[in-house]
Amino acid sequence: MLSNAEIMQTIEMISQQHLDIRTITMGISLLSCCDPDPKMACQKIYDKITLRAEKLVATGEAIEREYGIPIVNKRISVTPMALVAGASETNDYVCFAQALDRAAKTTGVNFIGGYSALVQKGMTNGDKRLIASIPEALATTELVCSSVNVGSTRAGINMDAVRLMGQAVKDTANLTAAADGFGCAKLVVFCNAVEDNPFMAGAFHGVGEAETVINVGVSGPGVVCHALESVRGKPFDVLAETVKKTAFRITRMGQMVAQEASRRLDVPFGIVDLSLAPTPAVGDSVARILESMGLSECGIHGTTAALALLNDAVKKGGVMASSHVGGLSGAFIPVSEDEGMIAAAKSGTLNLDKLEAMTCVCSVGLDMIAVPGDTTAETIAAIIADEAAIGMVNNKTTAVRIIPAPGKKVGDMVEMGGLLGSAPVMPVHEGDSSAFINRGGRIPAPLHSLKN
């Protein structure tokens, strides 16, 4: 149960510093929905999701009303659909995405994730069919999110899958051109994907998870930024301690909400993801936290070091506040969703190369970045390969969510709306990576993957 003292402690953070629960995500296993008949499988999928998540939104709203804690999103994640659809005798997987979309709309959630495939070491026929269907699936649904894991520290990088995903991103943008390529905002390409991530667009319910779980993602860049105002000019160890203490308080609220939602829904509590997830709102920015450390603008020299300190301190403070920390847990740097990142990208201080360097020390990767619409599929694949290499070598989760906005050129703005915000179109290198990407095969795993 939530104590009055714990509730009172969060009031100032909520009312003045943009603190919220970013998402309550219910993970649902769909392995029991496999069926040779795709129509039967889709019906089973719809029935199971709507039954298990029937009270998810109402429960989240009740907790909001009773405790005054904003819960921005209620979401669902499901078993990677390639595993479920692979049992059906069909080559067209779009019907499975549409079944997920119908179920999401019936339950009233904001998004449903898990139109996914895990292909880090190779692709089954089902994986290939799902990847081929992603553009149409995202163009013909509203709430479905898709992800593909193309690499891992243990397996290396599946460059055949990387090439396919470069083309899938390009095709998804073209099919949703009327909305500035919005479909790509619902598509993530991972290396070292985790099975309990509550954040979209990369959430899926891993095969090692329980039948149904509740995962919660918290957020609080504004709270951290406010706390750092009191230690301006102080040494870095003082700064780190301040972030740790603040992360503890933020995560503690997430733990309390997760346990309450778990109790009311009679669903096991999975994890709290203690990531700092920004929004386009002024005062709710990871970039502004970095600037409060002494940087004149996010993206200048020193930005990567500041982000490394922030990410580490957030993890150290948050892990003390919850019995089960998981997901991605760190600091996100999605360009379009962070007011400070948008400003830095507009000014030219923050570019794609600097963002790539920053992903070496944060969670998760190149996120919500708009690039010119004429960017080739091979260039997109090369960007994915670079980010996957960072994840593979550093044994961390990395990802790419990139939007080649049709008809847009460098300096134009792409409007996504809501929490997805807006992004300035950023330049990419003009050289040709196609000969590299078209080699195919697999980049071998690094030596330190041999841990047994």
Side-chain angles (χ1 to χ4, degrees), residues 128-416:
K128 293 176 182 177
R129 290 168 188 155
L130 184 130
I131 291 173
S133 73
I134 286 174
E136 183 181 353
L138 296 183
T140 58
T141 60
E142 295 180 36
L143 306 180
V144 173
C145 293
S146 178
S147 62
V148 176
N149 190 67
V150 298
S152 72
T153 299
R154 294 301 297 253
I157 303 172
N158 183 346
M159 292 300 292
D160 292 319
V162 168
R163 177 176 53 80
L164 291 177
M165 288 312 300
Q167 190 63 55
V169 170
K170 185 74 173 177
D171 292 344
T172 300
N174 290 335
L175 286 180
T176 56
D180 286 344
F182 176 75
C184 296
K186 302 186 294 175
L187 175 59
V188 182
V189 186
F190 276 117
C191 178
N192 288 322
V194 297
E195 297 189 341
D196 54 5
N197 169 25
F199 287 101
M200 298 296 170
F204 63 86
H205 186 71
V207 295
E209 297 289 309
E211 186 73 13
T212 310
V213 298
I214 288 291
N215 297 322
V216 166
V218 298
S219 178
V223 180
V224 174
C225 196
H226 181 269
L228 294 186
E229 290 294 324
S230 64
V231 294
R232 281 189 178 273
K234 298 291 180 67
F236 284 113
D237 50 354
V238 175
L239 190 154
E241 280 298 311
T242 302
V243 174
K244 284 165 59 178
K245 291 175 182 177
T246 307
F248 177 90
R249 296 171 65 195
I250 294 169
T251 308
R252 192 63 182 160
M253 187 184 75
Q255 168 87 357
M256 292 186 294
V257 170
Q259 289 177 330
E260 186 69 8
S262 172
R263 183 185 66 82
R264 295 188 184 197
L265 291 166
D266 193 25
V267 171
F269 161 46
I271 58 93
V272 174
D273 186 318
L274 50 88
S275 298
L276 294 181
T279 73
V282 175
D284 199 25
S285 162
V286 169
R288 299 307 185 195
I289 297 175
L290 305 180
E291 292 168 1
S292 73
M293 294 182 185
L295 303 173
S296 62
E297 189 173 16
C298 180
I300 68 169
H301 301 301
T303 298
T304 305
L307 184 57
L309 183 153
L310 173 65
N311 204 60
D312 181 66
V314 165
K315 291 177 185 289
K316 287 175 178 175
V319 77
M320 294 294 294
S322 174
S323 55
H324 298 288
V325 171
L328 302 170
S329 290
F332 290 172
I333 52 170
V335 173
S336 78
E337 299 174 18
D338 186 306
E339 169 267 328
M341 297 282 178
I342 294 170
K346 281 183 175 180
S347 72
T349 305
L350 188 64
N351 57 35
L352 201 56
D353 290 338
K354 185 60 177 180
L355 281 164
E356 184 179 297
M358 293 165 67
T359 65
C360 297
V361 299
C362 79
S363 304
V364 174
L366 297 172
D367 196 12
M368 289 302 290
I369 295 169
V371 296
D374 61 1
T375 303
T376 66
E378 290 81 9
T379 295
I380 295 169
I383 292 170
I384 293 169
D386 283 344
E387 195 61 30
I390 291 172
M392 175 186 70
V393 171
N394 290 286
N395 197 25
K396 70 184 294 289
T397 303
T398 54
V400 173
R401 185 163 50 148
I402 192 168
I403 303 158
K408 300 285 186 177
K409 60 183 184 300
V410 173
D412 291 341
M413 292 296 294
V414 176
E415 302 292 338
M416 295 294 162

